């Protein structure tokens, strides 16, 4: 091809080239095309622009031009289906990893006993109180007015009282549930590419939120008493991390509770490292009847702790009301992030949450829920001992919604999870709860999402049958 060749002829040649490439393959550079086809740079630019307009290629400034193979399918309007292959290149590597928060087996079929849920069954929810509170909130003259960005002052006052210590309403930021609070905190505290220390195992959706913020989770081991302060100090020193995410009370999934001495040690280690502690206190209202330790933030005098709490777990999945508690510039940073996200939490829901928390019926509900959870936990533990030989629960937790169960040697937790689904019971594979390779196979088995005790017993029987289906294991 000589200098007089048109950009149209060059485009035809490049179309033939693209047809032989896989989506995402890189085309020769403009300099290489000029040399190979003996045309000017302007001719190459026009040809590439034509192919980009057709969707045959995608250009990335500074990186080059890439093939974006087109898959046209007829649609119901007689045209062509939208071709989005080009997005694969344009989105680069900023994927949001959802395998930790989405069920890999899909929705369970009807009749499946749910032992993998993270919410309480409808029979354990304060449905009547929630409905009445929402109805009263909706009748207020200002119900649909804009809410303050930080949340209703009365609701912030209640959250401050629940947290205790010297926490004031001004230290509280109302959020759309605990998951939203975690997302805000991760993005506000640490920059993309930074390490964040996490318990191992830990809450999968916290791992997902951290990774979506561009952070690198680094695991720190637990034992029966929770996070190990000696390992934590080493992890801060080795990684240079400036953030620790932890669940000191009724940890998910193990149920561990940090004792008073370890709580002091963890705060001391974080302060010495110049780091924040992101305290996820999701289970404050999920105790099984005993005393619940004070949150870390209540004894924090230096602004080390950023506290997360939520009403969703003890109340109902759609009461998406939570709070962040912090002091100093970090709170201003989090307020700014949430303002960019969604301005404020819908006012009727805040008003309804305030109604519920301010009613004497809330304390009665928490006490009744604790009794029900304690009973269900004991029923499930006994049923697992009877029906699932070789599986070992990490003790009966004093709060929370789950048992953490170690599987017999040679059993693959993901394989057993699939076999259990075939038997009509849903459980959670333990590998989802580790930031890196798990040291052993576990299941997280819930006792709060079923209708009654009989379902818990039957669920354990089905799980045992699924384990038997896998047959004897070597070693």
């Amino acid at each position: 091809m000589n200098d007089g060749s048109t950009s149209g002829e060059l485009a035809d040649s490049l179309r033939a080239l693209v047809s032989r490439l896989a989506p995402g393959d890189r085309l020769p550079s403009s300099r290489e095309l000029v040399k190979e086809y003996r045309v000017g740079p302007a001719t190459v630019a026009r040809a590439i622009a034509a192919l980009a307009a057709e969707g045959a290629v995608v250009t990335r400034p500074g990186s080059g031009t890439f093939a974006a193979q087109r898959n046209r399918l007829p649609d119901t309007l007689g045209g062509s289906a939208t071709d989005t292959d080009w997005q694969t290149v344009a989105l680069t590597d900023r994927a949001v990893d959802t395998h930790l928060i989405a069920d890999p087996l899909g929705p369970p079929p009807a009749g499946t006993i749910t032992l993998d849920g993270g919410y309480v069954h409808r029979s354990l929810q304060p449905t009547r109180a929630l409905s009445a509170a929402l109805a009263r909130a909706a009748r207020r003259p200002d119900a649909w007015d804009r809410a303050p960005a930080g949340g209703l002052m009365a609701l912030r006052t209640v959250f401050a009282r629940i947290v205790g210590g010297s926490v004031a309403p001004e230290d509280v930021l109302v959020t759309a549930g605990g998951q939203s609070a975690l997302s805000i905190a991760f993005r506000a505290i640490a920059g993309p590419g930074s390490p964040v220390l996490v318990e191992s195992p830990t809450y999968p959706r916290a791992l997902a939120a951290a990774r979506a913020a561009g952070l690198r989770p680094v695991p720190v081991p637990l034992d029966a008493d929770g996070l190990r302060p000696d390992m934590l100090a080493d992890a801060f020193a080795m990684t240079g991390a400036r953030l620790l995410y932890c669940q000191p009370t009724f940890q998910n999934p193990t149920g561990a509770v940090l004792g008073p001495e370890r709580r002091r040690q963890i705060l001391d280690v974080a302060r010495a490292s110049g780091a924040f502690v992101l305290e996820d206190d999701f289970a404050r209202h999920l105790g099984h009847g005993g005393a619940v330790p004070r949150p870390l933030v209540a004894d924090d005098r230096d602004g080390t702790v950023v506290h997360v709490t939520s009403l969703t777990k003890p109340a109902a999945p759609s009461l998406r009301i939570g709070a962040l508690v912090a002091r100093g510039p970090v709170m201003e940073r989090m307020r700014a992030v949430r303002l960019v996200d969604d301005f404020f939490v819908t006012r009727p829901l805040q008003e309804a949450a305030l109604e519920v928390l301010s009613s004497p019926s809330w304390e009665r509900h928490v006490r009744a829920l604790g009794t029900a959870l304690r009973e269900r936990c004991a029923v499930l533990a006994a049923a697992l001992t009877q029906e699932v030989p070789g599986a070992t629960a990490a003790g009966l937790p004093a709060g929370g919604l789950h048992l953490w169960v170690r599987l017999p040697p040679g059993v693959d937790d993901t394989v057993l999870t699939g076999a259990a689904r075939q038997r009509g019971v849903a459980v959670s594979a333990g590998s989802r709860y580790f930031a890196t390779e798990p040291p052993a196979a576990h299941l997280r088995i819930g006792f709060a999402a079923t209708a009654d005790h009989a379902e818990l017993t039957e669920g354990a029987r089905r799980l045992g049958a699924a384990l038997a289906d896998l047959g004897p294991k070597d070693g």
Side-chain angles (χ1 to χ4, degrees):
M1 187 174 294
N2 56 42
D3 289 341
S5 298
T6 66
S7 60
E9 291 172 329
L10 176 58
D12 289 339
S13 298
L14 295 181
R15 286 188 192 96
L17 172 62
V18 169
S19 69
R20 299 190 297 270
L21 299 177
D25 283 354
R26 189 177 182 278
L27 275 68
S29 67
S30 295
R31 181 177 298 178
E32 291 169 332
L33 293 175
V34 167
K35 182 178 180 180
E36 179 177 355
Y37 291 100
R38 294 189 296 170
V39 295
T43 300
V44 171
R46 285 193 294 269
I48 293 295
L51 267 64
E54 297 169 5
V57 300
V58 175
T59 60
R60 287 175 54 198
S63 297
T65 302
F66 300 84
Q69 187 173 329
R70 305 167 68 185
N71 294 313
R72 296 289 186 178
L73 298 174
D75 64 14
T76 56
L77 299 178
S80 298
T82 302
D83 176 19
T84 58
D85 283 345
W86 63 272
Q87 295 182 4
T88 302
V89 177
L91 289 171
T92 65
D93 61 348
R94 288 307 305 271
V96 178
D97 186 357
T98 60
H99 85 278
L100 293 173
I101 59 177
D103 189 342
L105 300 176
T112 300
I113 294 177
T114 303
L115 301 183
D116 63 344
Y119 301 107
V120 299
H121 188 267
R122 189 175 301 163
S123 62
L124 300 178
Q125 299 170 13
T127 307
R128 183 175 299 179
L130 289 170
S131 298
L134 189 59
R136 288 193 297 270
R139 289 195 296 268
R140 295 186 179 187
D142 58 353
W144 299 102
D145 289 354
R146 175 173 178 154
L152 299 178
M153 181 55 69
L155 182 57
R156 294 162 67 187
T157 300
V158 172
F159 274 125
R161 175 178 55 79
I162 292 173
V163 172
S166 60
V167 171
E170 292 75 17
D171 302 324
V172 178
L173 174 65
V174 177
T175 66
Q179 189 68 23
S180 173
L182 290 178
S183 179
I184 290 171
F186 281 130
R187 288 180 290 147
I189 297 173
S194 302
V196 53
L197 305 185
V198 300
E199 297 160 320
S200 183
T202 192
Y203 176 45
R205 296 190 177 189
L207 293 176
R211 287 173 174 147
L215 308 185
R216 297 184 292 106
V218 178
V220 181
L222 298 172
D223 60 21
D225 297 317
L227 190 65
R228 294 181 52 181
D230 57 331
M231 294 286 192
L232 179 63
D234 290 343
F236 273 126
M238 292 174 62
T239 66
R242 292 294 179 263
L243 175 61
L244 162 69
Y245 166 77
C246 64
Q247 305 163 86
T249 304
F250 313 134
Q251 199 261 358
N252 179 11
T254 66
V257 177
L258 274 176
E261 182 61 27
R262 283 201 180 184
R263 288 170 180 253
R264 287 191 293 271
Q265 289 173 346
I266 284 172
L267 287 183
D268 289 345
V269 169
R271 289 186 188 114
S273 303
F276 288 98
V277 175
L278 181 54
E279 176 188 26
D280 189 347
D281 200 30
F282 76 99
R284 175 134 308 266
H285 302 291
L286 299 176
H288 293 178
V292 179
R294 282 160 59 94
L296 296 179
V297 72
D299 298 312
D300 172 36
R301 300 180 180 179
D302 304 307
T304 299
V305 180
V306 175
H307 178 86
V308 175
T309 188
S310 172
L311 301 180
T312 304
K313 298 294 186 182
S318 283
L319 187 63
R320 306 301 303 174
I321 293 290
L324 282 161
V325 178
R327 301 181 179 92
V330 68
M331 174 55 87
E332 297 307 315
R333 180 78 61 84
M334 292 191 298
R335 286 194 184 109
V337 171
R338 85 77 43 85
L339 193 62
V340 169
D341 280 354
D342 57 9
F343 297 127
F344 56 88
V345 176
T346 178
R347 187 169 190 132
L349 203 57
Q350 288 194 62
E351 297 279 11
L354 179 60
E355 290 263 3
V356 169
L357 289 176
S358 302
S359 169
S361 65
W362 174 250
E363 291 300 328
R364 292 196 297 270
H365 164 69
V366 171
R367 289 194 297 270
L369 178 61
T371 299
L373 293 177
R374 182 177 67 250
E375 293 173 351
R376 284 166 173 255
C377 179
V379 167
L380 178 60
L384 290 172
T385 300
Q386 179 70 28
E387 302 289 350
V388 191
T392 307
L396 289 183
L401 308 175
H402 314 98
L403 288 175
W404 183 239
V405 177
R406 182 164 179 161
L407 296 175
V411 177
D412 186 302
D413 59 339
T414 57
V415 173
L416 178 56
T417 301
R421 185 68 66 89
Q422 294 296 317
R423 281 284 187 171
V425 60
V427 293
S428 297
S431 52
R432 299 175 61 236
Y433 297 82
F434 291 89
T436 56
E437 297 82 3
H442 291 79
L443 294 179
R444 193 195 73 168
I445 308 177
F447 46 78
T450 56
D452 51 33
H453 292 183
E455 277 199 353
L456 290 171
T457 302
E458 174 61 15
R461 187 196 67 78
R462 295 182 185 183
L463 180 60
L467 181 59
D469 290 341
L470 301 182
K473 303 296 169 187
D474 296 333

